[in-house]
């Protein structure tokens, strides 16, 4: 760690009434808690939307497959005419 950065962390730790080692532990702990909270929030907010999208695509898949079969048949008919 650069000396100026270490000095800045040391000053911060002293202002908070702790050692630089304790400040490091606090920062790591805060990161872990925030990361876990963000992951849980993402799971609560994003996963239902993803699940809904997957369901919507799966529900519409038979229509898409019928359309693709139609296009393939049409393409085959056009090839036969050429």
């Amino acid at each position: 760690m650069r000396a100026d950065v270490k000095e800045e962390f040391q000053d911060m730790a002293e202002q908070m009434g702790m050692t630089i080692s304790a400040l490091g532990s606090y920062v790591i702990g805060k990161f872990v808690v925030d990361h876990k909270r963000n992951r849980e929030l993402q799971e609560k907010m994003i996963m239902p939307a993803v699940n809904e999208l997957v369901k919507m695509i799966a529900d519409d898949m038979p229509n898409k497959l019928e359309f693709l079969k139609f296009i393939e048949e049409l393409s085959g008919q056009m090839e036969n005419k050429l």
Side-chain angles (χ1 to χ4, degrees), residues 13-78:
E14 287 173 4
Q15 289 173 3
M16 297 175 78
M18 59 177 75
T19 65
I20 194 167
S21 179
L23 177 63
S25 295
Y26 171 79
V27 169
I28 291 169
K30 180 82 170 123
F31 172 80
V32 169
V33 168
D34 288 350
H35 180 70
K36 182 179 178 184
R37 188 176 302 131
N38 287 341
R39 186 177 62 234
E40 290 170 353
L41 183 61
Q42 287 174 352
E43 288 174 0
K44 287 179 184 176
M45 293 179 69
I46 295 172
M47 289 310 295
V50 169
N51 291 338
E52 186 65 29
L53 180 62
V54 168
K55 183 182 179 305
M56 183 177 72
I57 291 170
D59 289 347
D60 196 40
M61 191 56 68
N63 295 333
K64 287 186 167 92
L65 291 176
E66 286 180 32
F67 181 72
L68 287 175
K69 287 178 186 176
F70 171 75
I71 296 295
E72 287 175 351
E73 290 174 11
L74 188 60
S75 175
Q77 291 173 3
M78 292 178 84

